[in-house]
Amino acid sequence: MVNPSQRPIRVLVAKVGLDGHDRGAKVIAAALRDAGMEVIYTGLRQTPEMVVSAALQEDVDAIGVSILSGAHMTVFPRIMALMKDKGMDDVLLTGGGIIPETDMHTLNDIGVGKLFPPGTRTEDIATYINDWVATHRNF
């Protein structure tokens, strides 16, 4: 999936808040690596501030947040606000987990990218990130 004349897509995968279940995040991280992307996994119990700081330091193209705790309506808007404050308008914020469809639409309306429910094929996630970066980022 990676154009050899370009650097690989860089994705930060994060678990925000007190949710201690990271199996899904690790599966996604491995799948994105297998798709040719560079993946930075921040580990458990990150704050939105820690996620955005790491994304800036690592010069990522996308941030993927895995959330199962029900705090998605707090976490995603906070990360979006921090990204806007830092001028990260060309970085994708995406993610997945247990997020009701109506909340997904609300989050999309504030600028969050596509959100993926449990059971989504990892290939579909990799393709989405690849296509978004190809359209929105200049290398």
Side-chain angles (χ1 to χ4, degrees):
M1 288 187 140
V2 177
N3 182 334
S5 66
Q6 297 177 338
R7 69 167 175 76
I9 293 171
R10 295 177 58 83
V11 181
L12 182 125
V13 175
K15 289 290 296 181
V16 179
L18 299 177
D19 178 7
H21 301 281
D22 65 348
R23 181 174 170 215
K26 288 179 177 177
V27 167
I28 297 301
L32 297 178
R33 277 190 205 107
D34 291 348
M37 298 179 196
E38 288 183 15
V39 178
I40 300 95
Y41 175 56
T42 61
L44 294 169
R45 297 178 183 85
Q46 300 293 297
T47 66
E49 291 78 7
M50 293 164 75
V51 169
V52 172
S53 177
L56 275 170
Q57 291 172 15
E58 296 289 347
D59 189 28
V60 300
D61 304 300
I63 300 170
V65 176
S66 171
I67 193 156
L68 302 171
S69 67
H72 52 273
M73 295 304 286
T74 302
V75 168
F76 281 103
R78 179 68 182 143
I79 292 173
M80 281 299 306
L82 291 165
M83 289 173 67
K84 286 181 184 184
D85 287 348
K86 302 291 184 185
M88 299 172 69
D89 298 325
D90 64 344
V91 175
L92 170 64
L93 175 59
T94 185
I98 307 298
I99 305 170
E101 191 170 333
T102 56
D103 290 350
M104 286 184 184
H105 295 302
T106 300
L107 293 169
N108 296 148
D109 289 345
I110 66 162
V112 177
K114 188 170 182 177
L115 296 165
F116 300 94
T120 301
R121 291 173 1 116
T122 57
E123 296 86 359
D124 294 343
I125 297 168
T127 297
Y128 171 71
I129 293 171
N130 213 6
D131 291 349
W132 191 96
V133 170
T135 303
H136 295 87
R137 297 279 288 183
N138 294 317
F139 293 103

